[in-house]
Amino acid sequence: MQRTDIRTALQSKAFNSLINVRGWVRSRRGNKQVSFIALNDGSTIKNIQIVVDLTNFSEEQLKPVTTGSCISATGMLVPSQGAGQDVEIQLTELEVNLYPLQKKGLSMEYLRTIAHLRPRTNTFGAVFRLRHHMAMAIHTYFHEHGYYYFHTPLITASDAEGAGQMFQVTTKNLYKLQYDEAGHIDYSDDFFGKMTSLTVSGQLEGELGALALGKIYTFGPTFRAENSNTPRHLAEFWMIEPEVAFIDKAELMDIEEDFIKYCVRWALNNCQDDLQFLNQFVDKGLIERLESVVRTDFVRLPYTEGVRILQEAKKNGKKFEFPCEWGDDLSSEHERYLVEEHFRKPVIMTDYPRDIKAFYMKTNEGEEAGRETVQGTDVLFPQIGEIIGGSVREESFEKLDKEIERRGMDMSNYQWYLDTRRFGSAPHAGFGLGFERLMLFVTGMQNIRDVIPFPRTPKNAEF
Ligand code: 4AD
Ligand code: MG
């Protein structure tokens, strides 16, 4: 018989007809006359109740129906007499496969070690359904706003962020490396004839798209070999990078704010069952926080002003682990102080010191030497810290060329990029949203490893 998914079955009004559902047993309870099986198939957080009349089924037949086992249940769909559900199934035919499991709360850390079990739990079911919905929200937002989905390469010869945290890609035999006179590895016989890596960002290629199609976005895997074992960093994560021609800093911030609110609103409108579950069992403040972000105007705060507020707080006795002098890269404790304690709202921080930001950001005019700033626009969120990194791009060939040289970057890898400034350059700006940071926010999960099906972190690529 054809299977119906449980989400559909729960909404069905086709009473007194036969239906087949398949899924994993969440629990079984009952007495000598009747047994109740709560069954879940991942299509929704809700279970369907299977009612077993023990005059038709023996204890022996039901013995393998334990928590975690997989069953196929056929029976009559009827309105439910019990509270808590509208419909239930009166079992007539049962098939059981065995995957038994203890019915007890398992820790997130423990579940990370059991690949097959993790996605079958209520929590990860909710997280991964929400992950799907956020991807749909993102594509819908950009499509409806006239952006083109632009595919940028995963293998690249240029370091977009200039931070040198790249994973190398090679077909060379690592046991037999050849070196030139200077002791450098000779890449001329490597697959691409030069040194290549996995991308840390699709932005540079994305800029070429925006300077031709006007508005583009990328949405793909991104790789960073930074050795940061934190609850907010992954070595492989997904990033969304819109890039838009002819906009300035204020318009860029408007897009950042509008886009992220759209995604959060989408979750509130389309994922209530899963959000309710997470709000009850993972983070009691979740729904309230999501609703508050959608309602609030984000604060727009120049870096220099942010540092002033942080130093003021320090003077008044606030303890920070890391320094926050002008010129320092703020750490997440600083970002979270501003967002969670000082403003109690999301903050878009702007105009950062040039030397803590990437080479491509547009410099502000008229700053004194040593205090140069660039038009960055990072979005800082409660619980998360930085969720978006963005900026206006330097469109002047002369300035960009000089900056690449000043930083000692290998000019030969950026000529194709500089060509956008040599030929028909135009003002443009864009940003990158870390997909898993957004997922942390909309699920209330504490660790970024728990919002991606197969996390990649230092010393961890088991499955
Ligand atoms: O601030 P980042 O490094 O900016 C860029 O890569 C720019 N090229 C984006 C652009 O302007 N097109 O990274 C952007 C975002 C961060 O704000 C953060 O949300 C996320 O990507 N991110 C990470 N997420 C998980 N794990 C990591 N290791 C991350 N590094 C950055
Ligand atoms: Mg950043």
Side-chain angles (χ1 to χ4, degrees):
M1 188 178 176
Q2 204 181 351
R3 160 182 173 261
T4 304
D5 70 37
I6 290 176
R7 184 168 63 149
T8 311
L10 286 171
Q11 287 160 1
S12 173
K13 295 274 179 289
F15 296 128
N16 303 318
S17 57
L18 276 182
I19 187 168
N20 171 262
V21 293
R22 293 171 208 179
W24 295 272
V25 174
R26 284 289 199 256
S27 67
R28 182 159 75 85
R29 62 188 174 81
N31 51 39
K32 288 235 147 36
Q33 287 85 45
V34 57
S35 189
F36 300 99
I37 301 168
L39 193 69
N40 187 282
D41 68 358
S43 59
T44 160
I45 187 126
K46 292 181 179 155
N47 304 325
I48 199 160
Q49 174 157 282
I50 316 281
V51 185
V52 191
D53 181 344
L54 293 180
T55 49
N56 302 332
F57 289 87
S58 67
E59 258 313 316
E60 204 51 37
Q61 273 173 294
L62 286 184
K63 215 165 163 193
V65 182
T66 54
T67 298
S69 63
C70 178
I71 68 169
S72 166
T74 306
M76 202 72 88
L77 187 77
V78 296
S80 177
Q81 282 138 35
Q85 66 271 323
D86 297 333
V87 305
E88 60 191 24
I89 295 174
Q90 289 173 344
L91 189 69
T92 52
E93 207 183 311
L94 175 70
E95 274 174 66
V96 186
N97 303 306
L98 262 188
Y99 298 105
L101 149 88
Q102 295 142 296
K103 183 180 168 26
K104 62 168 189 191
L106 302 168
S107 77
M108 296 298 153
E109 288 77 13
Y110 178 67
L111 284 171
R112 259 179 242 143
T113 66
I114 309 183
H116 72 273
L117 197 58
R118 192 172 177 250
R120 283 192 201 150
T121 59
N122 278 332
T123 303
F124 286 98
V127 168
F128 297 143
R129 279 186 296 272
L130 267 153
R131 195 176 158 106
H132 160 81
H133 272 281
M134 286 300 89
M136 296 306 291
I138 288 160
H139 284 300
T140 308
Y141 178 87
F142 288 121
H143 180 67
E144 285 180 352
H145 288 78
Y147 291 68
Y148 296 106
Y149 184 21
F150 192 68
H151 295 101
T152 51
L154 297 190
I155 301 175
T156 172
S158 47
D159 181 353
E161 292 302 297
Q165 298 164 325
M166 305 182 84
F167 291 100
Q168 272 197 48
V169 174
T170 181
T171 52
K172 274 182 168 294
N173 181 344
L174 297 181
Y175 294 100
K176 286 191 196 151
L177 289 178
Q178 311 276 320
Y179 299 88
D180 65 13
E181 302 88 70
H184 297 295
I185 295 169
D186 178 10
Y187 284 100
S188 59
D189 64 346
D190 200 355
F191 190 91
F192 296 106
K194 51 161 66 174
M195 186 169 134
T196 52
S197 304
L198 294 177
T199 188
V200 295
S201 159
Q203 178 195 322
L204 302 191
E205 294 88 351
E207 286 185 47
L208 273 66
L211 293 174
L213 304 175
K215 296 203 255 190
I216 64 95
Y217 71 105
T218 71
F219 187 173
T222 310
F223 307 87
R224 295 200 183 172
E226 51 193 340
N227 208 347
S228 18
N229 241 320
T230 81
R232 322 216 174 289
H233 288 88
L234 290 164
E236 178 179 298
F237 62 101
W238 287 63
M239 187 153 48
I240 297 94
E241 295 186 275
E243 193 71 32
V244 186
F246 309 114
I247 59 167
D248 62 14
K249 189 174 72 182
E251 292 166 297
L252 174 65
M253 289 190 281
D254 289 343
I255 299 168
E256 290 177 347
E257 182 168 344
D258 187 52
F259 167 58
I260 208 156
K261 283 179 170 168
Y262 180 93
C263 293
V264 175
R265 213 177 296 121
W266 183 295
L268 287 166
N269 291 343
N270 296 284
C271 311
Q272 267 301 324
D273 291 345
D274 289 319
L275 288 180
Q276 301 273 355
F277 173 85
L278 294 167
N279 195 68
Q280 189 177 351
F281 294 105
V282 171
D283 177 350
K284 300 252 184 281
L286 175 65
I287 293 181
E288 165 55 31
R289 204 160 52 245
L290 299 185
E291 284 170 348
S292 128
V293 157
V294 170
R295 279 197 306 267
T296 340
D297 290 337
F298 295 5
V299 175
R300 298 177 181 201
L301 176 76
Y303 167 93
T304 302
E305 176 64 11
V307 167
R308 201 193 56 71
I309 294 170
L310 290 167
Q311 287 176 348
E312 191 75 23
K314 243 171 102 173
K315 239 188 272 159
N316 294 329
K318 175 78 195 170
K319 295 259 177 297
F320 293 117
E321 193 183 336
F322 297 99
C324 53
E325 298 300 317
W326 196 95
D328 290 334
D329 204 355
L330 299 186
S331 54
S332 81
E333 58 172 346
H334 303 128
E335 296 169 344
R336 292 184 60 175
Y337 172 79
L338 292 168
V339 172
E340 289 165 28
E341 294 181 48
H342 187 83
F343 291 106
R344 296 172 175 275
K345 287 176 183 188
V347 169
I348 309 185
M349 188 171 269
T350 66
D351 304 292
Y352 289 82
R354 184 181 63 179
D355 289 334
I356 59 170
K357 287 293 183 189
F359 72 96
Y360 49 70
M361 294 194 187
K362 185 178 174 72
T363 31
N364 286 311
E365 298 294 332
E367 308 274 15
E368 60 180 284
R371 300 274 285 192
E372 293 92 351
T373 56
V374 289
Q375 296 188 9
T377 57
D378 290 1
V379 180
L380 314 179
F381 250 43
Q383 311 282 315
I384 310 296
E386 182 190 326
I387 193 165
I388 280 181
S391 79
V392 181
R393 319 305 189 191
E394 184 56 73
E395 83 256 25
S396 147
F397 172 77
E398 285 73 27
K399 286 187 190 163
L400 193 58
D401 187 55
K402 236 169 59 205
E403 188 61 20
I404 291 178
E405 201 178 331
R406 191 182 75 86
R407 292 182 186 234
M409 297 161 67
D410 182 353
M411 296 296 275
S412 66
N413 284 335
Y414 296 91
Q415 292 313 313
W416 60 272
Y417 178 68
L418 283 166
D419 281 346
T420 55
R421 277 52 170 189
R422 281 194 189 96
F423 306 104
S425 185
H428 61 290
F431 65 87
L433 169 77
F435 189 50
E436 286 75 20
R437 301 255 175 112
L438 173 69
M439 287 305 304
L440 277 178
F441 184 71
V442 296
T443 59
M445 299 293 281
Q446 291 300 308
N447 194 313
I448 200 163
R449 293 167 173 83
D450 296 328
V451 294
I452 186 165
F454 300 97
R456 294 286 175 263
T457 50
K459 305 279 181 290
N460 172 34
E462 182 70 15
F463 40 72

